[in-house]
Amino acid sequence: MTKVNRPQGGDQLVVESGGLIQIKTGGMIVPNNGTQAGAITNAVAISGGDSPTEAEHNTLITKLNSVLAALRGVGIIA
């Protein structure tokens, strides 16, 4: 059985167990507007065992929300 297929007359791409979709260099997954999500900088670890400040916490929340928006933008999550 083919692990990646498009059912006849269907409007979907089905990836069976063991199948994969590989995006080659330069390829993208983009939302309906065709614009790739901007880069999200890496989060920085808090060192020294200190509790995070409000600003550090808010920076992390902003980054997390950017990741969630990117995932929603390409339909990975609702």
Side-chain angles (χ1 to χ4, degrees):
M1 170 180 11
T2 303
K3 293 182 179 181
V4 180
N5 61 79
R6 183 181 303 256
Q8 186 173 359
D11 59 356
Q12 60 183 316
L13 180 64
V14 177
V15 181
E16 304 290 347
S17 177
L20 64 90
I21 296 175
Q22 184 179 47
I23 309 296
K24 296 288 188 174
T25 301
M28 293 184 268
I29 297 175
V30 296
N32 289 339
N33 68 7
T35 303
Q36 186 178 30
I40 301 166
T41 59
N42 291 338
V44 178
I46 300 168
S47 60
D50 295 330
S51 296
T53 64
E54 182 177 351
E56 290 168 327
H57 172 79
N58 291 339
T59 296
L60 184 58
I61 293 301
T62 299
K63 289 175 188 279
L64 175 59
N65 286 336
S66 295
V67 170
L68 292 172
L71 293 172
R72 285 185 190 103
V74 295
I76 293 174
I77 61 174

